[in-house]
Amino acid sequence: MPAMSEQSSDLPTLDVAIVGAGFGGLYMLHKLRQLGLRARIFEAGGGVGGTWYWNRYPGARCDVVSMEYSYQFSDELQQEWEWSERYATQPEILRYVNHVADRFDLRKDIEFNTRVSSAVFDEAAGRWTVTTGQGQRVSAQFCVMATGCLSSTNLPDFPGLDSFRGERYHTGQWPHEGVDFTGKRVGVIGTGSSAIQSVPIIAQQAAQLTVFQRTASYTIPAHNSAIAPAEVQAIKADYRGFRERNKQQPFGVDFRSSKASALEVSVEEREREYEDRWQRGGLAFLGAFGDLLFNREANATAADFIRRKIASIVRDPALAAKLAPTQIVGCKRLCVDTGYYDTFNRPNVALVDVGETPIEAITPAGVKVGGQEYAFDCLVFATGFDAMTGALLKIDVRGRAGLTLQQKWAEGPRTYLGLQTVGFPNLFTITGPGSPSVLTNMLPSIEQHVEWIADCIHYVGSRGLRTIEATQPAEDAWVEHVNGVANQTLYPGCNSWYLGANVPGKPRVFMPYIGFPPYVQKCNEVVAKGYEGFRLAS
Ligand code: NAP
């Protein structure tokens, strides 16, 4: 690899500065090292793992099966690692990611406990100056944001938030030493995936648990278990084929996706299909019929099935009715649980509906709703994330002519392929808005982005070029295409974090791109046409 562009100042120099040591940043570092480049990761946390480093709440585990939720870039790695359960727990995933960091000797190029505060493009030099919270500065030709899609926590600005006298936790920033809720009165705010996983476990410990629900979620049983050795052997015998087949699936994961319409089969057949998927468990429920995410009537059949399941599990009919969601299934991210609905049969668990009567305030004693105060020893905010853009916009990113990313994205993120945004040359985002990211198995999406970015950096460097930057027409066309695809589906039909609707004041823009295989094809075509839609400059 020829030398990258020359340094502009006496700052320490890198070819590539990487922000974040989650799955994306780690593989990026590994790939760049293989190209002989000088790369370094700056990571706010004290260890590797990104989302799996921070989300240590009780019950945290992945909702993609472990044989798929892992790297595939190294066959030795995927052959030697043994997952113990169908859905891996957070501690097991963290062990895996630490194993990867050790196996590929990545730690020596990672600065932990180092939050990047700004990244500023120097137009004259064609380089980025990256500054950390500690005031350390480096100059890098390229900057790769591997900051994660669900890493910036959302803590609603409830009146009196800081007045609470008890213990306060957010699921996305859980204490490393864990929390013992034994004998405590606990309030959980939120009923998304994080709450749905933690509520059954907190309920077993707490004296009294109250769940504050604004929108009821659909959740499918995980039916988690140990993985049968024969299943592992069968997958490992053809791991490459298994991965390749899954990458051809719409979400890049094996949902056993059917193309049949839910409206064109008999009622009995439809019921059998839903029941089979419910019994097998997990997100593959959404693969039951090809039109579930396109046709409201089709979707309503799935909604009806799940609501009947809730009614059959929750003994108190009034409570079952409150827990029954009314929105489109899958429009907000479908959840996967172990005993969530059944937890509401426990005498120590209560549900407070804050959909119509919102939380008024957090008080020194607890939570106030509709004039009534609920007293707690501990409050758990399971209120999610400022998804996809939050972590990027927390960094003061300045591109050409001092344009900030905040200014550029004031009305929502605009990117070309979710990889670059005009005005910010040589800056890449791994699984950025406008890419399939959160609507896929994150691991293959991350690997596809890392490999694309590494090839691109190599292309630029090996031709002695200085910069690569998306062009305005390419970005505009891509944004329009992302929206066009989304608008053909039911996704824009509810207040999801995919749309930024969970964060007050956030622009309402559908952020992920729907469809992994066509996306990969498009990225490959762009390269085959000499980085079509990008401007390369020397
Ligand atoms: P989330 O899905 O955004 O859920 C946040 C919850 O907090 C929602 O129920 C939301 O209600 C509620 N909420 C937010 N602001 C509120 C307010 N002001 N008053 C009352 N309630 C409020 O967040 P999450 O559960 O952390 O999950 C986020 C994503 O992370 C998931 O969708 C998934 O992609 C990922 N995740 C995955 C796993 C897994 O692999 N199993 C586990 C956890 C998380 P509304 O619905 O009304 O907004």
Side-chain angles (χ1 to χ4, degrees):
M1 179 90 185
M4 302 300 261
S5 91
E6 281 159 27
Q7 65 185 84
S8 59
S9 64
D10 50 9
L11 293 181
T13 60
L14 292 171
D15 295 318
V16 189
I18 304 167
V19 187
F23 278 108
L26 291 180
Y27 182 37
M28 192 76 247
L29 174 62
H30 178 62
K31 275 305 278 187
L32 293 170
R33 272 201 198 156
Q34 284 180 328
L35 291 172
L37 298 176
R38 286 166 305 148
R40 200 156 181 79
I41 299 182
F42 300 91
E43 164 58 53
V48 297
T51 195
W52 300 105
Y53 175 86
W54 298 103
N55 284 267
R56 296 169 188 245
Y57 60 82
R61 66 171 76 236
C62 192
D63 58 5
V64 170
V65 294
S66 44
M67 294 302 287
E68 291 196 61
Y69 195 83
S70 50
Y71 288 119
Q72 55 192 289
F73 68 83
S74 157
D75 196 45
E76 293 77 23
L77 172 66
Q78 67 181 0
Q79 291 293 339
E80 76 196 9
W81 183 261
E82 300 287 344
W83 292 106
S84 64
E85 293 177 76
R86 181 180 180 203
Y87 296 103
T89 60
Q90 175 272 333
E92 189 167 32
I93 298 172
L94 200 56
R95 277 199 297 281
Y96 169 73
V97 79
N98 273 285
H99 166 74
V100 172
D102 292 334
R103 195 187 189 289
F104 297 99
D105 194 18
L106 299 176
R107 289 180 210 278
K108 65 181 184 220
D109 286 321
I110 308 176
E111 294 195 26
F112 293 108
N113 304 305
T114 304
R115 186 176 284 283
V116 167
S117 53
S118 72
V120 178
F121 187 62
D122 175 344
E123 282 191 67
R127 299 178 68 87
W128 285 90
T129 302
V130 173
T131 306
T132 70
Q134 288 95 327
Q136 181 191 356
R137 294 167 77 218
V138 294
S139 167
Q141 186 179 0
F142 298 92
C143 181
V144 179
M145 294 293 181
T147 42
C149 294
L150 294 158
S151 45
S152 176
T153 51
N154 170 44
L155 184 61
D157 191 16
F158 294 114
L161 183 62
D162 293 328
S163 69
F164 180 60
R165 280 195 304 259
E167 299 159 26
R168 182 175 106 185
Y169 305 102
H170 192 291
T171 46
Q173 284 178 333
W174 204 258
H176 286 205
E177 61 281 11
V179 181
D180 182 5
F181 292 108
T182 307
K184 302 269 175 71
R185 296 164 304 164
V186 183
V188 172
I189 300 176
T191 52
S193 297
S194 302
I196 277 175
Q197 290 186 328
S198 53
V199 156
I201 294 176
I202 298 174
Q204 287 166 22
Q205 297 175 1
Q208 170 66 39
L209 168 64
T210 304
V211 179
F212 294 87
Q213 170 187 280
R214 186 166 71 178
T215 311
S217 296
Y218 294 98
T219 173
I220 309 296
H223 298 310
N224 186 41
S225 62
I227 315 184
E231 189 190 336
V232 174
Q233 267 167 25
I235 291 173
K236 286 191 172 177
D238 179 29
Y239 224 146
R240 191 183 297 271
F242 175 77
R243 302 285 202 180
E244 285 309 315
R245 286 189 294 280
N246 295 345
K247 281 196 238 176
Q248 298 314 313
Q249 301 289 317
F251 299 98
V253 62
D254 181 14
F255 280 178
R256 292 175 288 115
S257 297
S258 162
K259 289 201 169 68
S261 162
L263 304 174
E264 285 171 5
V265 295
S266 68
V267 173
E268 294 72 28
E269 202 177 321
R270 193 165 64 211
E271 193 71 8
R272 241 191 338 268
E273 186 63 29
Y274 287 143
E275 185 62 36
D276 175 55
R277 291 195 182 239
W278 183 272
Q279 293 308 334
R280 291 194 197 205
L283 294 174
F285 184 87
L286 273 181
F289 295 101
D291 50 358
L292 289 185
L293 292 166
F294 293 90
N295 180 312
R296 262 199 122 101
E297 213 186 320
N299 191 278
T301 64
D304 175 62
F305 177 87
I306 302 175
R307 283 195 290 265
R308 281 186 280 120
K309 282 291 181 194
I310 299 170
S312 74
I313 298 168
V314 180
R315 288 194 289 272
D316 173 353
L319 189 52
K322 273 197 207 170
L323 285 163
T326 52
Q327 76 269 19
I328 298 159
V329 180
C331 176
K332 287 190 177 206
R333 166 90 172 202
L334 191 61
C335 305
V336 175
D337 72 284
T338 299
Y340 177 70
Y341 294 126
D342 192 36
T343 297
F344 289 90
N345 289 323
R346 295 175 67 103
N348 67 332
V349 177
L351 184 75
V352 175
D353 189 340
V354 293
E356 281 182 6
T357 312
I359 292 172
E360 245 170 85
I362 305 296
T363 66
V367 179
K368 201 168 168 192
V369 181
Q372 187 179 341
E373 190 175 54
Y374 300 83
F376 299 112
D377 302 305
C378 310
L379 267 184
V380 175
F381 290 83
T383 44
F385 301 89
D386 181 355
M388 305 202 69
T389 54
L392 290 166
L393 295 176
K394 266 187 183 166
I395 302 170
D396 184 10
V397 183
R398 290 170 191 259
R400 284 193 196 281
L403 178 74
T404 66
L405 198 56
Q406 281 95 338
Q407 289 164 338
K408 165 89 198 263
W409 288 1
E411 285 167 21
R414 297 185 69 81
T415 70
Y416 181 38
L417 302 171
L419 283 161
Q420 269 213 342
T421 186
V422 177
F424 299 80
N426 292 4
L427 180 85
F428 297 97
T429 48
I430 297 181
T431 63
S435 75
S437 56
V438 292
L439 287 180
T440 63
N441 176 4
M442 287 303 291
L443 266 289
S445 275
I446 283 171
E447 288 186 305
Q448 185 255 341
H449 262 193
V450 167
E451 287 161 14
W452 194 98
I453 293 166
D455 288 349
C456 177
I457 287 176
H458 177 72
Y459 183 93
V460 172
S462 61
R463 280 161 183 75
L465 299 166
R466 226 160 55 126
T467 56
I468 179 162
E469 180 182 2
T471 66
Q472 198 63 59
E475 180 172 290
D476 292 345
W478 183 250
V479 170
E480 198 177 315
H481 177 60
V482 172
N483 286 307
V485 172
N487 288 334
Q488 286 166 23
T489 72
L490 299 177
Y491 277 110
C494 64
N495 293 324
S496 68
W497 57 254
Y498 300 134
L499 276 166
N502 63 324
V503 176
K506 190 166 172 173
R508 202 179 167 106
V509 172
F510 193 80
M511 294 182 282
Y513 178 71
I514 301 166
F516 187 64
Y519 174 80
V520 174
Q521 194 185 335
K522 169 74 181 172
C523 289
N524 293 342
E525 282 168 12
V526 163
V527 176
K529 292 180 185 164
Y531 289 92
E532 185 184 49
F534 289 93
R535 186 180 304 111
L536 292 140
S538 48

